Amino acid sequence: MVIPSSLDDLTEHADLIVMGTVTARETAAEPFKLGGHIAMSTYTLSVSEVLKNTTSATVEANKPFVFRQKGGPLPAGFKKPIMRRVSAVTYENGENVLLFLIRQGTGDVWSPVGLSQGKFTVETAPDGSQRVLNGAQNKYLFPPQPPVTPGKSAAVVSKGTAAYAASSNGAIDLDIIRDDVRVKSPMKGGAQ
Amino acid sequence: MSILRRYIVCMLLVALALPSLAAETWLVDANNTGQPYRWPGGHITWFAEEGGFATLSAEEVTTLVRQAFAVWEKAGIKTPSSSVIGVSTAQVSSALGGKIVPVARPSAPGPAIETDSVLEHVEAKSRTIVIFDNHGEFQSNPSVAAETYMGLVNDSSMTIHSAVAVINGQSTIVKNAKDLSDPTDPSRQKLLATLIHELGHMYNLDHSVLNDEIVESSQSFDLAPNAIPTMYPDIGTPLQHKLHKDDVVAISNLYPNAAYLEQFCEIAGQVIGTDGKGYQGAHIVARPTFAEDEHLGAISAVSGNQFVENTADGTYVLRGILPGRPYQVSFSEVPSRFVNFSSVGRYGDDYSTKGELPRSGFGSGVITANGGTMSQVLCSEPGQTVVMDTIQLDVAAGGVDPKTVLLPGTVPVVPVQPTEPTTPTTPAAAGGCTLMIPRG
């Protein structure tokens, strides 16, 4: 059961916020501690930008970041018994993504915060701008603001809220997310 | 055949044969009988850790799990003749089997279960356990409240014999709680709702996205919090600790008692695709059009949900329908954010080798009856089945073919098998298999 997460939640809980292009993926079955086997995928991300990194892992722009994550499509004809994991988030080769990742332990296994909520696909709009959409269709990113109380001035509508409201499919400009993350969780020494 | 070898072979068979996920039933018969897996007699004996959870004592944790089981055990539907007191409709029960001694973790507060011992409990001892994962050893993602895994199942008798629910102690629900001991604390209620949800998976229920349009339009659960089913994929409101009618119908479909079978009607129909074959995956909803709230009294299903994929069976049955009361039946797509991820219907499995079915582009609309002449239906007597017109989805064109075909009496309705107490059989004795499938 998943907990709806706002952009603030995603930013706060992520150990690593990174953008890039998936260049390789491989899936294999591994024994799972609750029984049977589980599919484990190894992804290579060609990193274009690091917005947050609170871990000891070395993740830098213009360098590949190799990470493992539960789930993924096993090769056709694979006969080894597996445990099916229905809530796994997967990535396609060539997919441009913005990831809010949480580290599982101290190794190389990671998971998106809030599962599909922590994975944004990045697409270029006809006007050349980059727009992002997460697995929850950005639904919970910007919680609705409370109604205006008589006698009090209305709260300022955030850029994200306005952009989401104006979007036909929920996708919003990447810069809105990027700026928000930088304000809420500034990188030491600036973003890479 | 050695136990290990049989275990591996069975795992393979189950993995290949039971890929179907449905809106109301999680595991269904691979032989396409339309029958689901069930706990023998609808009874779950469960074990808890001998320790507390966050600020809760061991006793409080046990009480919370008991309370969550009791919600399913008392599930009932209001009938037209008893507008205040509903009738119990589900035949499920539970009992605490004992405690599991946790392993001390001096470096962190609270007990923790030894991960290696879970295998022994669930597989070797056929135990069902509820893990209160204080340290995030199984799940540490703060935005994931819990997960449930099926353990031992028996393919011959189609029975479930063990399962594991993992409650995440690192979730924001727990971390942000003011007082988990206070029954009025919203976090406590969300924790209870999470437990009820996971136990629903244990009983073999899938997710429901009924009334998702409210969340979709308002971006929150606050507009009509009591309209969100407990089996909704997300935990968004404390009121999910109260079962929605859709939840009650789901558990009653699996474990019906006599009252459920005698006092209500059902609405049945089928959905076909452009090729004329059954379409598996349309979201079907029956909403009351009388005084009862259209959201609170609604019931949902996914076409073809009782059958494994690629069987081209697009039938659906909506049970728990009140006699003498009008309903409107509609179809829509499963919301895109629950496709390919959150396990609603049969589209939540990223391991499937099944062919891609058209799953969107057909919009939504009303399903009629009597050859398009009736936009609302009612049954006059309990036990009746109202058969809807068959709808043909023109997926390729992105719209709905106006053709509707009346097929009275031709929809094969899968009979509900009443639940009767049985002596639990051990999976090993009946050549059972082990299956581990997680559900969030």
Side-chain angles (χ1 to χ4, degrees):
Chain A
M1 200 174 201
V2 177
I3 302 168
S5 301
S6 67
L7 181 57
D8 286 353
D9 294 332
L10 296 177
T11 304
E12 178 188 346
H13 297 140
D15 296 321
L16 175 67
I17 304 176
V18 61
M19 195 164 73
T21 303
V22 179
T23 57
R25 74 171 195 184
E26 188 175 321
T27 305
E30 292 185 0
F32 185 58
K33 57 188 176 185
L34 283 178
H37 287 72
I38 191 168
M40 183 70 80
S41 294
T42 302
Y43 295 98
T44 302
L45 188 73
S46 176
V47 177
S48 59
E49 188 173 356
V50 181
L51 294 172
K52 178 182 179 182
N53 185 2
T54 61
T55 72
S56 58
T58 302
V59 185
E60 298 174 333
N62 303 314
K63 290 187 177 177
F65 167 51
V66 179
F67 66 101
R68 301 197 308 146
Q69 189 177 298
K70 286 177 186 173
L74 289 161
F78 188 83
K79 297 297 183 187
K80 202 167 184 178
I82 60 166
M83 187 186 73
R84 298 168 65 227
R85 183 176 177 82
V86 293
S87 55
V89 181
T90 58
Y91 314 99
E92 301 295 327
N93 262 336
E95 193 174 14
N96 296 315
V97 291
L98 170 64
L99 303 178
F100 290 66
L101 297 174
I102 185 167
R103 198 175 195 176
Q104 308 287 287
T106 56
D108 59 351
V109 178
W110 300 72
S111 172
V113 180
L115 303 181
S116 71
Q117 298 177 84
K119 176 200 171 184
F120 292 76
T121 54
V122 183
E123 294 191 347
T124 302
D127 64 1
S129 65
Q130 288 185 299
R131 299 175 72 77
V132 293
L133 190 66
N134 74 2
Q137 312 293 299
N138 292 350
K139 186 62 59 187
Y140 305 123
L141 287 186
F142 308 104
Q145 293 172 330
V148 180
T149 306
K152 293 189 175 180
S153 57
V156 177
V157 176
S158 72
K159 272 187 180 181
T161 301
Y164 178 80
S167 173
S168 59
N169 66 348
I172 62 172
D173 200 291
L174 168 64
D175 285 338
I176 292 173
I177 302 280
R178 184 189 271 139
D179 292 346
D180 198 276
V181 170
R182 282 174 175 159
V183 169
K184 303 274 172 47
S185 184
M187 284 278 290
K188 291 176 181 175
Q192 295 175 308
Chain B
M1 185 183 291
S2 70
I3 292 176
L4 177 62
R5 184 171 174 79
R6 186 169 64 191
Y7 163 76
I8 292 174
V9 170
C10 287
M11 281 289 287
L12 173 62
L13 291 174
V14 170
L16 294 177
L18 286 176
S20 178
L21 304 168
E24 293 168 357
T25 303
W26 181 4
L27 302 179
V28 297
D29 184 13
N31 296 313
N32 293 323
T33 61
Q35 295 297 331
Y37 279 68
R38 297 183 178 94
W39 288 82
H43 182 83
I44 297 178
T45 298
W46 56 279
F47 290 74
E49 292 172 78
E50 196 176 59
F53 180 62
T55 58
L56 295 176
S57 67
E59 189 176 343
E60 287 174 316
V61 167
T62 303
T63 300
L64 197 66
V65 180
R66 280 201 172 107
Q67 191 178 348
F69 270 114
V71 169
W72 289 114
E73 290 161 9
K74 295 175 181 173
I77 302 173
K78 292 176 184 175
T79 65
S81 59
S82 63
S83 58
V84 178
I85 302 172
V87 293
S88 170
T89 54
Q91 185 92 35
V92 291
S93 60
S94 64
L96 176 63
K99 293 293 183 75
I100 294 172
V101 179
V103 175
R105 289 280 192 275
S107 59
I113 192 164
E114 177 58 57
T115 55
D116 291 342
S117 70
V118 173
L119 280 174
E120 182 188 346
H121 287 299
V122 177
E123 295 185 5
K125 298 181 179 176
S126 188
R127 283 179 170 173
T128 293
I129 56 179
V130 181
I131 298 174
F132 284 88
D133 191 8
N134 278 299
H135 304 282
E137 290 176 85
F138 295 96
Q139 179 57 262
S140 61
N141 197 321
S143 296
V144 176
E147 288 182 317
T148 294
Y149 299 77
M150 284 297 190
L152 290 164
V153 299
N154 185 302
D155 293 330
S156 301
S157 59
M158 290 184 57
T159 46
I160 305 166
H161 297 270
S162 68
V164 184
V166 179
I167 312 300
N168 182 10
Q170 302 297 312
S171 76
T172 55
I173 292 175
V174 176
K175 291 292 184 186
N176 298 337
K178 287 182 180 175
D179 184 1
L180 286 177
S181 301
D182 179 1
T184 64
D185 186 307
S187 293
R188 156 86 174 207
Q189 293 177 353
K190 281 189 177 180
L191 179 60
L192 177 59
T194 299
L195 261 172
I196 298 168
H197 178 106
E198 300 309 323
L199 298 183
H201 285 321
M202 265 193 195
Y203 277 120
N204 196 20
L205 299 187
D206 198 358
H207 288 145
S208 167
V209 290
L210 178 69
N211 296 330
D212 172 69
E213 67 276 7
I214 297 174
V215 180
E216 173 74 23
S217 62
S218 65
Q219 290 177 256
S220 81
F221 294 79
D222 298 335
L223 197 61
N226 54 353
I228 307 302
T230 300
M231 294 311 294
Y232 189 81
D234 301 338
I235 173 71
T237 167
L239 286 185
Q240 283 175 271
H241 79 277
K242 295 182 177 178
L243 295 184
H244 186 282
K245 184 173 180 179
D246 194 55
D247 300 311
V248 177
V249 167
I251 193 76
S252 304
N253 284 343
L254 276 172
Y255 305 95
N257 64 15
Y260 185 65
L261 298 175
E262 293 168 5
Q263 298 192 26
F264 302 97
C265 300
E266 58 191 23
I267 293 173
Q270 62 180 336
V271 182
I272 58 177
T274 315
D275 58 3
K277 295 180 179 176
Y279 181 87
Q280 293 174 279
H283 192 226
I284 310 294
V285 178
R287 294 192 188 281
T289 59
F290 51 95
E292 188 173 9
D293 185 280
E294 64 171 324
H295 292 111
L296 299 185
I299 298 162
S300 68
V302 172
S303 63
N305 67 348
Q306 290 298 113
F307 302 88
V308 294
E309 63 259 23
N310 292 332
T311 52
D313 189 300
T315 58
Y316 61 87
V317 182
L318 299 154
R319 296 193 169 96
I321 299 296
L322 297 180
R325 303 298 172 94
Y327 286 81
Q328 186 167 73
V329 183
S330 62
F331 68 92
S332 64
E333 302 166 20
V334 172
S336 59
R337 68 182 190 280
F338 298 120
V339 172
N340 270 343
F341 168 67
S342 276
S343 60
V344 175
R346 53 198 301 285
Y347 296 135
D349 175 17
D350 65 335
Y351 291 128
S352 176
T353 55
K354 65 181 182 285
E356 293 286 312
L357 279 179
R359 56 180 65 161
S360 63
F362 55 79
S364 59
V366 172
I367 302 176
T368 60
N370 197 29
T373 63
M374 297 171 64
S375 60
Q376 294 184 43
V377 295
L378 62 78
C379 67
S380 55
E381 299 290 335
Q384 290 181 335
T385 298
V386 177
V387 179
M388 306 302 295
D389 294 342
T390 295
I391 58 166
Q392 185 169 30
L393 304 176
D394 190 356
V395 179
V400 179
D401 191 311
K403 181 174 78 172
T404 54
V405 185
L406 177 64
L407 298 168
T410 61
V411 176
V413 177
V414 177
V416 179
Q417 303 288 344
T419 306
E420 294 181 10
T422 57
T423 304
T425 55
T426 61
C433 298
T434 298
L435 171 67
M436 301 294 286
I437 301 177
R439 177 57 51 96

